[in-house]
Amino acid sequence: AFVTDVFETTKPEPRGTFETPHMRQARVKAATEKANAEKCELLLADWDPNKPEKPDKVTSDAYKTLFVARLSYDTTEKKLRREFEQFGPIKMLRLVQDEDERPRGYAFIEYEREEDMREAYKRSDGRKIDGRRVVVDVERGRTVRKWK
């Protein structure tokens, strides 16, 4: 009779599950992926691919804009303007630069008339500017669907 008083009469609480390092790693990874997916959905909802980050540096009409590539890093805006102004009046010229204000080697030139842009496109591809043959093309980023 004294032995039955020593033992507990109620059932013990259920044991908690032990989390192995592998299980913890999987749980943390799943939580991180879920948080990143939610963040991406919020950012994607606000993002407009046609809205520029710096509106003052974007040409207004893509159909009047030329893309000039393979420019020498020494080429200045003045030199480029002189070379391309012979085809017609230029509305805006932008030499693309990185964050440190160093040239990237390409530019966008917006003409006032589309005919002038076409003439410059036809006659200036392969022209030498500052000792380098440049590539001239129409702007395709905003004019051609699914162009990357």
Side-chain angles (χ1 to χ4, degrees):
F2 88 95
V3 175
T4 57
D5 295 336
V6 175
F7 295 107
E8 298 177 2
T9 56
T10 60
K11 285 193 170 189
E13 292 182 17
R15 255 188 192 176
T17 57
F18 178 74
E19 186 177 44
T20 64
H22 182 68
M23 291 168 60
R24 181 183 181 283
Q25 188 178 26
R27 178 181 54 83
V28 169
K29 183 178 178 183
T32 304
E33 285 177 357
K34 182 180 176 187
N36 286 341
E38 291 172 357
K39 183 179 177 184
C40 283
E41 281 183 29
L42 289 173
L43 292 173
L44 194 58
D46 293 339
W47 182 66
D48 181 9
N50 297 320
K51 181 182 173 191
E53 292 178 17
K54 298 177 181 175
D56 59 323
K57 294 191 175 188
V58 176
T59 59
S60 59
D61 188 358
Y63 293 98
K64 297 179 185 177
T65 305
L66 277 182
F67 170 74
V68 184
R70 295 186 186 164
L71 290 170
S72 168
Y73 294 132
D74 300 327
T75 303
T76 62
E77 188 173 321
K78 183 178 177 182
K79 171 83 172 175
L80 204 58
R81 186 176 294 275
R82 189 168 6 110
E83 290 286 332
F84 282 90
E85 214 163 30
Q86 62 187 344
F87 303 111
I90 293 175
K91 184 176 179 182
M92 185 179 127
L93 187 143
R94 177 169 178 245
L95 269 171
V96 179
Q97 299 175 335
D98 61 7
E99 292 85 19
D100 300 329
E101 300 296 321
R102 293 181 307 202
R104 295 286 310 266
Y106 64 98
F108 292 97
I109 302 172
E110 181 181 5
Y111 283 92
E112 290 183 9
R113 295 189 311 267
E114 193 171 344
E115 302 83 41
D116 298 335
M117 185 273 302
R118 283 197 205 114
E119 183 69 22
Y121 173 61
K122 289 177 188 173
R123 292 185 42 209
S124 61
D125 190 28
R127 174 178 281 205
K128 273 195 167 187
I129 300 175
D130 286 341
R132 295 188 66 175
R133 289 208 185 278
V134 297
V135 173
V136 178
D137 198 5
V138 295
E139 182 185 342
R140 299 192 187 276
R142 295 184 288 168
T143 58
V144 178
R145 282 184 160 268
K146 296 184 181 179
W147 185 86
K148 294 184 180 191

